[in-house]
């Protein structure tokens, strides 16, 4: 039987057709009638059936007994026991002794976040963490320090030029900041855009699949994005190519910025990064000529040694070139399931939330209501009355994802109570006291509300289960609902107080959450392949009186100081090797490693020149070591890498440095003097390493 639904492994939310036999998905193909993805799927999406029914799937929740072994437990009994233990910990040590870590797979599950957030509010703890602070929270820091233009960014569809830095959307279907231009069939989308005249600039130390399609590929030494953007700003401001009218209306500190990037001349950029002078100037002029199109950054920019200032300068380039929507232009945002709220050409002032209110004993403030994930280990291990003793991990695998694998393992292993909600016995779940087995995406109701802001079209879809879940599983949201019930926490979700004694259905909750949408949910549900809505009619409106005169802060004092330091970062020494980030098509972080027939393991990729110099042959085991630790991996030759770079995908390996499938790159990462202020972001790309043949 063929069933229609959409994939929820990543934000692309591709429409699929599943062939179901005996309650098993035996085949997944792209749904050509889906107006968003038009038949596109990726290799991991097509293996979604195996994630549900393969040997790794957890079919029952587990409790660890005093002998260390797991025994099956009914999830409602587990919720009762866990709720009781959380109440006791909170009563003895205070609510801040409870922590929650939100992983990536909480994001594509529409009900988990709202219900978990409502429960969390009642817990009353400050110790909330998510993967954003080991990902691209530099973007949050920029908004906090610069402010935000609320009229919306220019769109990819109408762009003349686009600059992608540190992102490889042809693999990650990501492509930067909520523009969603390159999600579905990204190589075709990019080719089509270029055929209509788009000019593409890519900044990446690897000649990626995306960079291969660029008009200009700048291939700098890694870890120098701040200098790269300073250099581009130097040319644009130096040649007066910026949008003076937009700057006058909305920005403060343009002249100071011009002075601050004064030393970042194309010569200096070339000396440090190896990018030829003429290429940098050409890229700066091409970008500034626009007239439309933005800079979008990804993990390569947001994980480097000066990530916060690099991202700040990338945004400055958008601001000084005025790449935002003005009064009278079509409003940004699809507003299909979401509400059609007015969009105004105004600035929300910088709000340094981390300086206000709560501050942890480790010196961290709140960023979008969260603490930096890189303080989680110390929150658990360092003495303090409010140290974390119980941690709930929802849809994440911090044992592999967090930097400093050694200490993460030590920290999570030392908790009084660790609860992992996971569809497989992940490395994090292996350390847990309770593992809650949730339903998976083809077994549950969902809609695209939370994702629509990154879609390139005004699209929405509602889906129901297409197979029955294993009987021992529970919906993620329902587990949090039960915890709340046991702990006596009233839940307010989508504006309603839920009745603890009679849980709503998933459908009901979905309906409530989309209750303020521009398009009624009934219309969306009536479109089995998803609905392409009429474009939104709203136009960008003039600023409200209260916001009149608000300006973006281009160069606050702390940014100026970080910029000075970043510009002095030395060029790589001859023979220096730097580990850089990379993603693989066949898996989503640690999810999908089991499909080794699809992608093998995660090799350490080297430029052939470096392999020759170091005497490393294809396929041999190499030992990579850094200031933080070592990892062993299989060498693979990759001529697309800039010499001096080694790239290795994260999300692999096991509990120890040399078990599991593949190798956990986070044995090489950790905290040091380069950890960023505010978000405590460590360096995950451009990590100095030494490589040698393993003996
Ligand atoms: N197939 C697949 N898709 C995914 C994921 C996955 O695991 N697999 N993960 C998802 C997640 S969680 C995220 S956050 C997104 C991330 O999406 P992206 O940010 O697009 O991630 P990558 O594809 O790793 O691209 C990062 C690029 O940065 C480059 N780079 C490394 N160091 C530097 C540097 O110093 N400067 C510059 N300019 N570039 C550098 C790398 O060579 C690489 O090409 O992808 C999502 N999509
Ligand atoms: N060195 C290095 N480290 C990195 C990165 C890097 O580039 N380099 N990238 C960072 C980034 S961008 C990210 S986002 C993080 C990823 O960090 P995490 O989000 O912690 O890691 P994932 O592997 O995505 O974990 C998702 C988990 O959710 C489970 N899961 C799948 N479906 C469901 C479901 O329906 N419900 C529940 N409850 N669980 C489910 C999966 O089995 C898996 O164990 O890693 C970060 N760490
Ligand atoms: S890109 Fe792949 S993983 Fe992401 S939603 Fe589409 S099919 Fe699923
Ligand atoms: Mo991520």
């Amino acid at each position: 039987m063929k069933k229609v639904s959409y994939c929820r492994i990543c934000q692309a939310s591709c429409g699929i057709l599943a062939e179901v036999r005996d309650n098993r998905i035996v085949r997944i193909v792209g749904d050509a009638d889906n107006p968003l993805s038009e038949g596109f799927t990726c290799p991991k999406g097509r293996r979604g059936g195996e994630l549900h029914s393969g040997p790794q799937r957890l079919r029952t929740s587990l409790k660890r007994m005093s002998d260390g072994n797991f025994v099956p437990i009914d999830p409602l009994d587990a919720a009762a026991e866990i709720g009781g233990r959380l109440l006791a910990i909170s009563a003895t040590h205070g609510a801040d002794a409870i922590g929650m870590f939100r992983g990536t797979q909480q994001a594509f599950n529409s009900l988990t976040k709202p219900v978990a957030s409502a429960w969390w509010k009642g817990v009353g703890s400050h110790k909330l963490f998510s993967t954003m602070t080991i990902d691209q929270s530099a973007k949050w820091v920029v908004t906090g320090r610069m402010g935000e233009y609320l009229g919306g960014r220019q769109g990819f569809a109408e762009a003349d030029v686009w600059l992608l830095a540190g992102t490889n959307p042809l693999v990650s279907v990501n492509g930067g900041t909520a523009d969603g231009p390159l999600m579905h069939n990204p190589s075709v989308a990019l080719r089509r855009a270029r055929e209509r005249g788009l000019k593409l600039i890519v900044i990446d130390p690897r000649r990626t699949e995306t960079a291969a399609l660029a008009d200009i590929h700048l291939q700098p030494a890694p870890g120098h994005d701040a200098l790269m953007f300073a250099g581009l700003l130097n040319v644009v401001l130096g040649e007066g190519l910026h949008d003076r009218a937009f700057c006058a209306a909305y920005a403060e500190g343009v002249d100071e910025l011009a002075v601050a990037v004064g030393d970042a001349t194309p010569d200096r950029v070339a000396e440090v990064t190896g990018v030829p002078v003429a290429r940098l100037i050409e890229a700066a002029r091409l970008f500034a000529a626009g007239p439309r199109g933005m800079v979008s950054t990804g993990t390569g920019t947001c994980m480097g040694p000066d990530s916060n200032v690099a991202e700040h300068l990338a945004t400055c380039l958008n601001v000084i070139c005025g790449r935002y929507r003005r009064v009278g232009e079509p409003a940004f945002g699809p507003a299909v399931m979401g509400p059609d709220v007015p969009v105004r050409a105004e600035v929300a002032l910088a709000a340094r939330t981390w300086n206000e209110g709560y501050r942890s004993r480790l010196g961290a403030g709140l960023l979008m209501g969260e603490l930096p994930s890189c303080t989680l280990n110390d929150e658990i291990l360092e003495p303090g009355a409010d140290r974390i003793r119980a941690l709930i991990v929802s849809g994440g695998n911090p044992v592999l994802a967090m930097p400093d694998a050694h200490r993460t393992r030590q920290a999570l292993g030392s908790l009084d109570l660790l609860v992992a909600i996971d569809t497989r016995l992940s490395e994090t779940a292996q350390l847990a006291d309770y593992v809650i087995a949730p339903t998976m995406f083809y077994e549950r109701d969902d809609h695209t509300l939370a994702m629509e802001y990154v879609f390139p079209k005004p699209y929405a879809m509602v889906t129901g289960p297409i197979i029955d879940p294993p009987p021992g599983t529970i919906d993620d949201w329902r587990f949090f609902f039960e915890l709340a019930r046991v702990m006596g926490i009233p839940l307010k979700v989508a504006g309603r107080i839920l009745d603890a004694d009679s849980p709503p259905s998933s459908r009901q909750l979905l309906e409530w959450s989309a209750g303020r949408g521009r398009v009624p949910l009934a219309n969306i549900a009536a479109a089995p392949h998803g609905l392409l809505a009429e474009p939104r009619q709203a136009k960008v409106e003039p600023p409200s009186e209260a916001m009149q005169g608000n300006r973006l802060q281009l160069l606050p004092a702390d940014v100026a100081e970080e910029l000075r330091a970043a510009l002095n970062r030395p060029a790589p020494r001859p023979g220096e090797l730097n580990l850089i980030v990379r993603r693989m098509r066949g898996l989503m972080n640690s999810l999908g490693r089991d499909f080794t027939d699809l992608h093998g393991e995660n090799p350490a990729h080297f430029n052939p020149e470096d392999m020759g110099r170091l005497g490393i042959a294809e396929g041999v085991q190499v030992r990579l070591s850094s200031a933080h630790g070592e990892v062993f991996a299989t060498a693979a030759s990759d001529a697309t890498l800039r010499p001096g770079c080694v790239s290795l995908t994260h999300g692999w390996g096991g509990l120890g440095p040399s078990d599991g499938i593949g190798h956990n790159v986070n044995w090489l990462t950790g905290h040091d003097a380069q950890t960023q202020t505010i978000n405590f972001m460590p360096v995950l790309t451009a990590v100095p390493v030494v490589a040698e043949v393993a003996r």
Side-chain angles (χ1 to χ4, degrees):
M1 203 185 341
K2 278 251 159 58
K3 303 258 180 129
V4 186
S5 188
Y6 71 92
C7 176
R8 276 147 279 170
I9 297 173
C10 87
Q11 70 277 7
S13 313
C14 301
I16 62 105
L17 297 176
E19 203 177 309
V20 177
R21 252 183 258 150
D22 300 332
N23 200 42
R24 280 168 86 97
I25 297 172
V26 294
R27 196 168 123 89
I28 289 177
V29 294
D31 178 4
D33 295 323
N34 182 290
L36 177 72
S37 51
E38 299 175 340
F40 171 79
T41 51
C42 77
K44 60 190 175 302
R46 290 192 291 275
R47 299 289 281 268
E50 280 167 72
L51 291 176
H52 288 67
S53 59
Q56 309 296 334
R57 175 71 196 277
L58 266 186
R59 306 184 156 269
T60 174
S61 300
L62 300 168
K63 174 185 181 178
R64 192 184 298 280
M65 304 308 283
S66 48
D67 64 2
N69 292 322
F70 280 127
V71 295
I73 183 171
D74 179 271
L76 298 185
D77 294 342
E81 293 184 16
I82 295 164
R85 289 181 66 176
L86 292 177
L87 283 175
I89 288 172
S90 180
T92 314
H93 303 286
D96 281 337
I98 301 173
M100 174 155 73
F101 181 88
R102 290 181 147 152
T104 314
Q105 291 298 329
Q106 203 186 79
F108 316 122
N109 185 331
S110 22
L111 293 175
T112 313
K113 192 169 180 188
V115 181
S117 300
W119 167 75
W120 185 249
K121 206 167 168 205
V123 171
S125 165
H126 295 97
K127 309 282 177 68
L128 179 64
F129 305 85
S130 84
T131 49
M132 186 63 177
T133 46
I134 40 172
D135 188 340
Q136 294 167 60
S137 60
K139 293 180 167 125
W140 288 353
V141 174
V142 172
T143 304
R145 300 202 282 195
M146 186 189 288
E148 188 179 15
Y149 179 78
L150 301 175
R153 294 159 57 93
Q154 291 184 348
F156 184 77
E158 312 86 47
D160 306 292
V161 62
W162 209 265
L163 193 164
L164 294 171
T167 176
N168 184 18
L170 261 60
V171 167
S172 67
V173 299
N174 188 58
T177 321
D179 305 289
L182 296 166
M183 288 189 132
H184 310 101
N185 217 350
S187 64
V188 170
L190 193 48
R191 277 172 223 271
R192 278 194 198 140
R194 293 193 61 220
E195 276 160 23
R196 71 158 172 78
L198 178 92
K199 299 285 182 215
L200 179 69
I201 305 165
V202 170
I203 303 180
D204 198 306
R206 201 187 133 222
R207 188 163 181 82
T208 57
E209 296 77 354
T210 310
L213 296 178
D215 295 277
I216 299 181
H217 174 204
L218 306 179
Q219 201 172 359
H224 289 287
D225 283 35
L227 177 60
M228 288 298 295
F229 282 110
L232 292 167
L233 286 163
N234 174 296
V235 176
V236 174
L237 289 166
E239 296 188 2
L241 305 175
H242 56 295
D243 183 334
R244 288 191 171 77
F246 188 81
C247 289
Y250 292 110
E252 212 156 82
V254 179
D255 295 339
E256 292 81 352
L257 180 68
V259 172
V261 298
D263 291 340
T265 58
D267 284 322
R268 168 77 183 150
V269 174
E271 189 187 304
V272 175
T273 70
V275 168
V277 168
R279 292 300 267 170
L280 185 88
I281 295 173
E282 193 190 353
R285 288 177 182 160
L286 181 65
F287 184 78
R292 298 183 71 88
M294 309 219 56
V295 178
S296 287
T297 63
T299 52
T301 301
C302 293
M303 292 182 171
D306 303 297
S307 47
N308 286 343
V309 70
E311 185 65 27
H312 194 96
L313 297 183
T315 307
C316 283
L317 191 53
N318 285 327
V319 171
I320 66 155
C321 292
R323 297 299 161 78
Y324 298 89
R325 295 175 193 232
R326 315 298 164 81
V327 176
E329 287 192 57
F332 167 81
V336 184
M337 275 188 203
D340 196 353
V341 288
V343 172
R344 298 182 190 281
E346 63 193 13
V347 166
L349 290 178
R352 295 173 172 247
T353 54
W354 53 88
N355 286 340
E356 291 155 19
Y358 179 79
R359 182 161 287 270
S360 79
R361 72 184 193 288
L362 304 167
L366 293 172
L367 187 58
M368 301 292 264
E370 297 180 8
L371 287 171
S373 286
C374 288
T375 64
L376 174 60
N377 289 339
D378 286 352
E379 272 292 350
I380 298 169
L381 291 170
E382 292 298 323
D386 71 338
R387 75 177 181 84
I388 295 178
R389 292 156 197 270
L391 182 72
I392 313 287
V393 176
S394 163
N397 193 3
V399 166
L400 297 188
M402 293 251 291
D404 202 346
H406 176 71
R407 197 157 158 86
T408 308
R409 193 192 158 167
Q410 191 191 353
L412 297 197
S414 77
L415 287 159
D416 295 351
L417 176 64
L418 174 62
V419 180
I421 311 164
D422 204 301
T423 54
R424 62 200 296 289
L425 199 60
S426 71
E427 290 64 25
T428 304
Q430 287 168 39
L431 296 178
D433 300 290
Y434 291 87
V435 186
I436 305 301
T439 54
M440 284 205 87
F441 49 95
Y442 291 128
E443 299 157 354
R444 64 177 194 239
D445 293 277
D446 255 319
H447 63 33
T448 51
L449 174 60
M451 293 297 123
E452 72 178 32
Y453 302 94
V454 299
F455 292 157
K457 298 175 187 170
Y459 162 89
M461 182 160 174
V462 191
T463 190
I466 58 171
I467 51 173
D468 297 327
T473 56
I474 185 168
D475 281 334
D476 281 90
W477 75 263
R478 181 66 198 276
F479 175 72
F480 286 103
F481 178 94
E482 289 301 324
L483 270 188
R485 196 174 58 77
V486 172
M487 297 174 73
I489 293 173
L491 290 182
K492 190 171 180 190
V493 179
R496 287 174 169 77
I497 307 279
L498 306 187
D499 179 352
D501 297 320
S502 95
S505 66
S506 299
R507 254 313 152 128
Q508 185 67 73
L509 278 174
L510 290 172
E511 270 170 37
W512 288 339
S513 66
R516 292 168 59 229
R518 173 166 70 96
V519 180
L521 196 73
N523 298 18
I524 298 165
H529 301 274
L531 180 87
L532 190 61
E534 289 295 316
R536 189 179 178 190
Q537 295 304 312
K539 302 270 186 277
V540 179
E541 295 175 18
S544 58
E545 211 165 303
M547 309 280 263
Q548 207 108 40
N550 284 0
R551 286 199 163 59
L552 299 163
Q553 301 298 315
L554 297 193
L555 198 68
D558 50 353
V559 175
E561 195 184 314
E562 289 164 33
L563 176 57
R564 272 193 296 276
L567 298 186
N568 283 327
R569 181 172 299 289
R573 283 169 283 107
E576 182 178 317
L577 271 184
N578 278 287
L579 174 81
I580 65 170
V581 291
R582 179 189 196 113
R583 271 165 177 71
M584 291 169 72
R585 271 211 179 94
L587 71 155
M588 176 72 178
N589 302 324
S590 74
L591 189 63
R593 271 172 300 158
D594 320 312
F595 310 147
T596 46
D597 59 314
L598 194 62
H599 42 48
E601 295 187 1
N602 64 331
H605 300 266
F606 291 86
N607 178 283
E609 216 176 90
D610 290 325
M611 291 175 86
R613 184 171 55 83
L614 298 164
I616 294 173
E618 174 88 24
V620 306
Q621 281 290 104
V622 288
R623 174 178 177 269
L624 292 173
S625 55
S626 74
H628 302 285
E630 62 174 25
V631 73
F632 292 85
T634 312
S637 166
D638 180 356
T640 66
L641 274 172
R642 189 183 196 283
C645 296
V646 190
S647 76
L648 189 67
T649 306
H650 69 289
W652 291 75
L655 275 177
S658 54
D659 52 23
I661 311 173
H663 317 278
N664 182 358
V665 69
N666 279 321
W667 287 88
L668 294 172
T669 64
H671 295 285
D672 48 34
Q674 316 229 35
T675 296
Q676 298 292 283
T677 60
I678 302 169
N679 57 353
F680 289 61
M681 182 68 187
V683 178
L684 301 182
T685 203
V687 178
V689 289
V690 173
E692 61 197 353
V693 175
R695 287 179 221 289

